[in-house]
Amino acid sequence: MKIEKAETSRRGMIDYSKLGFGKYFSDHMLIMDYEQGQWKEPRIMPYQALAIEPANITLHYGQCVFEGQKAFRGIDGKIRLFRLDSHYKRLVNSSKRMFIPVTPEKEYKDSIVKLISIDREFIPVEWGTSLYLRPFIIGMDNTLGLKVSDKYRLMVITSPVASYYDEGLNPIRIHVNTEYSRVVKGGLGEVKAAANYAASLYATQMAKQKGFPQVLWLDGKEHKYVDEVGTMNIMFVIDGKLITPSLEDGTILPGITRDSVLKIARDWGWDVEERRILFDEIRDSYKRGLLQEVFGTGTAAIISPVGELHYKDEVMIVNNGKIGEKSQILYDTITGIQYGKLEDKFGWLTVIEDEE
Ligand code: PMP
């Protein structure tokens, strides 16, 4: 691994009292290039602008995948990276679907740990804050012909962050989208391809203009089944049962927070169901007074309670617009593990040692 340290630090530019999400970047970034059929040695270098030709294939055709994961400064001062292996595996799945060559596991994991270690001073300390890592891979050929790229660049940048939504853990208002489709069966929904996010922008912006921070996505064909909420997986508590859409259709991203919630809930012996969910079932449960909690799960917000669902002319107020009991205990448990307050019983953490 080649390491070139930054001569001056960007730390002075950061307002730790107003971190927001993804506004500030640490001093270093990781780059690994793929050329002539192989991945080259990883390089850690100062965070800087890239020189990319206007004909860069990704700028035109979007052959790009990414990840989003976090490192935490624990209550004992130690740094813990959450579910490195699961994020690596998902990056590989996304890469395969986009015909991007598989990143070598050891180089990837070792260099991410090194990158965090070098920029450890950027990791904020307050509960609820963390260092967000954004690994991504782009095609690097320069051509206007539509094809799979021959050259690629993997990069990892890191950003000290606070809460993703301005609302924090306060329940958000959601617009149920019945008009636009983000993904369809046979499309890219189950991978983290940039294209999915491009497809979500218009409907999300329309919802924002109406005062909703996020949309609930229904299936892309009939707009009848529940898919995801914003850039999160969705979960419902109906009559005491934790219910979430299954992954079988390939339209839903297998969220790592989703998986963590399901593992914890099953470990506690909760009644859990992964299955297709008709949105009409949610409306019906609401009318019968059985819809107790709705929340999104994702790396950025961990648990994001939904306080209101707006569907056509109907408004469903969930749990009086307050965070539910199950949502709260799941948030406390996952963050408890991440900040080293609770035991890492599932083996999810990589502890990052001090630099020698
Ligand atoms: N769905 C989509 C579309 C997402 O972008 C994300 C965020 N990665 C998730 C779900 C949640 O996944 P995770 O829990 O791995 O962050």
Side-chain angles (χ1 to χ4, degrees), residues 66-69 82 86-87 90 132 134 164 182-183 189 191-193 196-197 200 217 227-234 251-260 296-302:
F66 68 101
E67 264 307 317
Q69 60 194 92
F82 191 63
S86 305
H87 283 283
R90 191 169 66 186
Y132 182 82
R134 169 54 58 86
Y164 187 74
R182 174 182 176 274
V183 297
V191 299
K192 221 162 155 51
N196 288 332
Y197 300 82
S200 77
W217 299 99
D227 264 2
E228 304 199 52
V229 60
T231 57
M232 295 181 288
N233 294 111
I234 188 156
T251 54
I252 293 174
L253 190 77
I256 287 157
T257 320
R258 173 189 185 278
D259 181 70
S260 308
T297 67
T299 295
I302 315 292

Side-chain angles (χ1 to χ4, degrees), residues 277-306:
I277 304 169
L278 272 173
F279 189 69
D280 277 348
E281 177 188 339
I282 304 301
R283 294 170 66 211
D284 185 55
S285 309
Y286 179 75
K287 283 179 196 144
R288 290 165 52 210
L290 300 175
L291 181 65
Q292 293 153 327
E293 298 182 38
V294 182
F295 57 94
T297 67
T299 295
I302 315 292
I303 300 287
S304 178
V306 172

Side-chain angles (χ1 to χ4, degrees), residues 29-318:
M29 62 184 189
L30 173 71
I31 291 193
M32 210 191 312
D33 284 321
Y34 180 92
E35 282 168 18
Q36 291 160 337
Q38 56 180 326
W39 287 99
K40 309 283 175 205
E41 190 183 357
R43 290 177 286 151
I44 289 177
M45 52 201 285
Y47 180 93
Q48 60 194 273
L50 302 172
I52 280 187
E53 284 195 26
N56 172 284
I57 198 164
T58 306
L59 298 179
H60 303 271
Y61 306 125
Q63 195 189 8
C64 172
V65 296
F66 68 101
E67 264 307 317
Q69 60 194 92
K70 279 178 170 174
F72 301 84
R73 171 82 65 183
I75 50 172
D76 52 3
K78 285 190 183 158
I79 298 165
R80 293 173 175 83
L81 179 58
F82 191 63
R83 304 201 64 172
L84 173 60
D85 188 57
S86 305
H87 283 283
Y88 168 73
K89 287 190 173 124
R90 191 169 66 186
L91 182 70
V92 168
N93 274 345
S94 303
S95 298
K96 286 181 177 164
R97 180 66 174 80
M98 294 303 291
F99 226 92
I100 292 173
V102 170
T103 313
E105 181 169 352
K106 186 165 168 18
E107 281 84 344
Y108 178 81
K109 289 181 176 173
D110 289 352
S111 47
I112 280 201
V113 166
K114 188 75 186 168
L115 180 69
I116 297 169
S117 188
I118 288 177
D119 278 337
R120 58 179 50 239
E121 297 303 323
F122 282 83
I123 307 179
V125 290
E126 247 179 78
W127 195 278
T129 64
S130 57
L131 188 72
Y132 182 82
L133 278 73
R134 169 54 58 86
F136 60 112
I137 310 176
I138 59 174
M140 286 295 282
D141 284 11
N142 298 312
T143 174
L144 296 183
L146 176 62
K147 68 175 195 84
V148 160
S149 191
D150 292 324
K151 294 188 203 140
Y152 295 88
R153 175 165 285 184
L154 173 136
M155 285 170 273
V156 184
I157 55 175
T158 73
S159 171
V161 299
S163 162
Y164 187 74
Y165 297 110
D166 296 339
E167 289 86 347
L169 252 193
N170 293 324
I172 51 174
R173 299 171 72 229
I174 295 292
H175 182 254
V176 184
N177 160 54
T178 50
E179 210 175 335
Y180 302 99
S181 302
R182 174 182 176 274
V183 297
V184 288
K185 205 168 169 175
L188 299 172
E190 64 188 337
V191 299
K192 221 162 155 51
N196 288 332
Y197 300 82
S200 77
L201 289 174
Y202 189 84
T204 306
Q205 194 56 25
M206 288 294 114
K208 279 197 177 135
Q209 285 175 7
K210 291 182 194 148
F212 301 99
Q214 285 295 343
V215 300
L216 176 69
W217 299 99
L218 302 177
D219 74 277
K221 192 175 173 203
E222 298 177 287
H223 296 124
K224 279 188 178 166
Y225 291 92
V226 177
D227 264 2
E228 304 199 52
V229 60
T231 57
M232 295 181 288
N233 294 111
I234 188 156
M235 303 216 173
F236 302 91
V237 180
I238 301 177
D239 199 16
K241 231 184 247 179
L242 183 67
I243 306 177
T244 192
S246 51
L247 304 174
E248 72 211 65
D249 280 352
T251 54
I252 293 174
L253 190 77
I256 287 157
T257 320
R258 173 189 185 278
D259 181 70
S260 308
V261 164
L262 294 177
K263 286 207 165 86
I264 290 169
R266 288 189 170 120
D267 185 54
W268 286 341
W270 286 8
D271 213 346
V272 175
E273 281 180 10
E274 288 177 76
R275 59 171 171 81
R276 297 184 95 194
I277 304 169
L278 272 173
F279 189 69
D280 277 348
E281 177 188 339
I282 304 301
R283 294 170 66 211
D284 185 55
S285 309
Y286 179 75
K287 283 179 196 144
R288 290 165 52 210
L290 300 175
L291 181 65
Q292 293 153 327
E293 298 182 38
V294 182
F295 57 94
T297 67
T299 295
I302 315 292
I303 300 287
S304 178
V306 172
E308 291 178 25
L309 282 168
H310 291 243
Y311 173 77
K312 297 183 178 162
D313 294 333
E314 287 172 37
V315 183
M316 297 173 231
I317 311 276
V318 186

